[in-house]
Amino acid sequence: MKILVTGGAGFIGSHLCKYLLEKEDEVICLDNLFTGSKKNILPLLSNPNFEFIRHDITTPILLEVDQIYNLACPASPPHYQYNPIKTIKCSTLGMINMLGLAKRTNARILQASTSEVYGDPLQHPQKETYFGNVNCNGIRSCYDEGKRVAETLMFDYHRQNKVDIKVIRIFNTFGENMAVNDGRVVSNFIIQALKNEPITIYGTGKQTRSFCYVSDLINGMHKMMNTENFTGPVNLGNPEEFTMLELAEKIIKLTNSSSTIIYKELPKDDPTQRKPDISLAKEKLNWQPSIDLDTGLQKTIEYFKQVI
Ligand code: NAD
Ligand code: UDP
């Protein structure tokens, strides 16, 4: 199978490329290296089945492929808010380009959508049938609304042009290869704890998230891509829910750190609670996460010890 992974030099993308190569697929990794890094794919470059193309998906590209995993999009709030117009172009123009490629080559395409399509959810836990509670003109909208339009485009290309689509909604995922400057909570807290610097909690720390270790996610993504007669959307995440204060305390303990906790202003539209309902993934994909938060954190801590 010849597989295109856009965003393949990023955090999740680099794990996916490695996983696909281990399955003996041919992988084309396409990335503009905005938040991704060549370092993440360095061990893969010597594999003859691996090819890296530096390219931006907002510009069309001609390739011949059997499957497309569309992951290209900055994912951490500081990164997607750095150039919001570019972020929304990535999920709209970029999505149209990738769907055009899928249509021309008859490739199956999987879109990395997000729990952010539920916004600041009023339904808890979130099921795929929930339409969400999203601000359309706030600082998170470039990402949230971009990803919502991307889902709309996926389903319109499916209905109108019979493109073979798969939509997964990824909930907070963490692990090795997250960038040191990523800015998301798990990497921020681990780096702060390892440096014995204050842990920065935004707001009261009572807001919740549910964290999935990356290998569980990759397994779910691959299952979804290779399951017949199911377009999704399907939630992929770990339903164990924690407050940010609990996460900070856990990381301080696991790193044996002398860090204190400091409180900073809560960014606007920061969701209050988030936890996936994964009954659909269990039913359709026979998938559920197997790595608990402590185990995943330990692996991630070891990684950051090496890189900082
Ligand atoms: P990441 O920032 O590490 O990876 C994104 C990759 O896309 C980077 O390598 C970046 O350079 C590349 N990229 C960005 N814009 C591009 C463009 N226009 N053209 C080509 N490449 C481009 O983030 P990640 O956590 O690995 O996220 C991967 C995907 O999964 C994203 O689409 C993200 O929205 C989605 N997702 C991630 C999470 C999570 O918790 N990690 C949750 C929900 C959804
Ligand atoms: N957060 C925090 N300190 C940090 C980074 C993030 O308290 O240094 C909070 C953030 O406000 C949010 C939660 O942690 O409530 C998860 O943030 P992240 O950016 O990881 O992801 P998202 O908000 O997109 O789920």
Side-chain angles (χ1 to χ4, degrees):
M1 198 84 88
K2 194 179 262 188
I3 304 180
L4 172 65
V5 179
T6 78
F11 156 51
I12 297 174
S14 57
H15 287 272
L16 179 64
C17 289
K18 180 167 180 275
Y19 183 91
L20 295 171
L21 288 171
E22 281 163 4
K23 298 223 169 281
E24 312 232 311
D25 288 311
E26 262 182 67
V27 176
I28 301 176
C29 164
L30 186 157
D31 203 297
N32 70 351
L33 300 180
F34 171 47
T35 55
S37 136
K38 275 193 195 161
K39 194 172 53 64
N40 286 341
I41 51 165
L42 208 58
L44 313 180
L45 288 173
S46 59
N47 187 323
N49 285 333
F50 183 77
E51 201 179 333
F52 172 67
I53 304 175
R54 186 170 185 150
H55 177 83
D56 193 307
I57 61 160
T58 58
T59 304
I61 186 164
L62 277 178
L63 295 167
E64 303 304 321
V65 291
D66 303 306
Q67 289 186 341
I68 303 168
Y69 287 87
N70 188 38
L71 274 63
C73 184
S76 87
H79 286 155
Y80 71 64
Q81 287 163 23
Y82 172 76
N83 184 346
I85 296 172
K86 182 66 198 260
T87 299
I88 197 155
K89 278 186 181 170
C90 184
S91 289
T92 50
L93 293 177
M95 186 80 256
I96 289 170
N97 289 331
M98 290 306 112
L99 279 161
L101 177 62
K103 184 181 163 199
R104 183 179 59 77
T105 57
N106 269 324
R108 177 172 286 184
I109 179 166
L110 177 145
Q111 166 63 359
S113 188
T114 166
S115 52
E116 288 285 327
V117 300
Y118 303 121
D120 189 1
L122 304 175
Q123 186 187 93
H124 194 73
Q126 293 80 52
K127 277 183 193 300
E128 292 83 352
T129 45
Y130 179 47
F131 289 168
N133 176 37
V134 182
N135 179 357
C136 68
N137 53 30
I139 56 170
R140 294 176 86 97
S141 311
C142 61
Y143 183 74
D144 299 10
E145 295 290 18
K147 290 284 188 177
R148 286 169 67 94
V149 172
E151 284 201 21
T152 307
L153 285 164
M154 288 283 284
F155 281 90
D156 282 336
Y157 269 75
H158 175 62
R159 281 184 290 255
Q160 197 173 328
N161 291 325
K162 307 279 173 278
V163 172
D164 187 2
I165 62 155
K166 303 273 168 190
V167 177
I168 58 167
R169 292 181 178 158
I170 305 172
F171 282 64
N172 297 67
T173 298
F174 71 99
E176 298 90 326
N177 292 2
M178 291 184 89
V180 171
N181 69 348
D182 182 275
R184 278 175 282 187
V185 70
V186 174
S187 48
N188 269 11
F189 284 5
I190 290 179
I191 293 163
Q192 289 161 346
L194 288 175
K195 292 182 169 172
N196 294 309
E197 288 172 356
I199 305 267
T200 53
I201 286 193
Y202 303 158
T204 61
K206 291 195 178 132
Q207 70 270 39
T208 68
R209 294 292 187 274
S210 308
F211 298 101
C212 184
Y213 182 63
V214 65
S215 62
D216 278 331
L217 177 77
I218 298 294
N219 189 263
M221 280 177 108
H222 189 255
K223 279 194 163 183
M224 178 58 172
M225 179 60 112
N226 296 293
T227 295
E228 300 305 315
N229 304 317
F230 177 50
T231 58
V234 64
N235 291 338
L236 293 182
N238 191 319
E240 266 193 281
E241 186 182 9
F242 297 89
T243 67
M244 293 312 99
L245 194 54
E246 284 168 335
L247 178 72
E249 285 164 350
K250 212 179 244 308
I251 290 176
I252 290 175
K253 209 166 140 202
L254 288 171
T255 50
N256 224 345
S257 170
S258 60
S259 290
T260 54
I261 288 175
I262 58 166
Y263 292 88
K264 292 199 160 182
E265 201 183 333
L266 185 71
K268 209 166 167 303
D269 294 334
D270 198 284
T272 315
Q273 52 179 2
R274 179 181 293 157
K275 168 188 159 109
D277 180 321
I278 58 163
S279 11
L280 189 64
K282 282 186 184 161
E283 181 201 322
K284 297 281 188 186
L285 310 177
N286 190 24
W287 176 86
Q288 63 180 53
S290 64
I291 313 266
D292 63 23
L293 181 57
D294 278 47
T295 311
L297 285 176
Q298 269 153 358
K299 291 171 189 280
T300 313
I301 289 166
E302 285 314 308
Y303 170 77
F304 279 111
K305 274 187 192 164
Q306 306 301 318
V307 297
I308 61 171

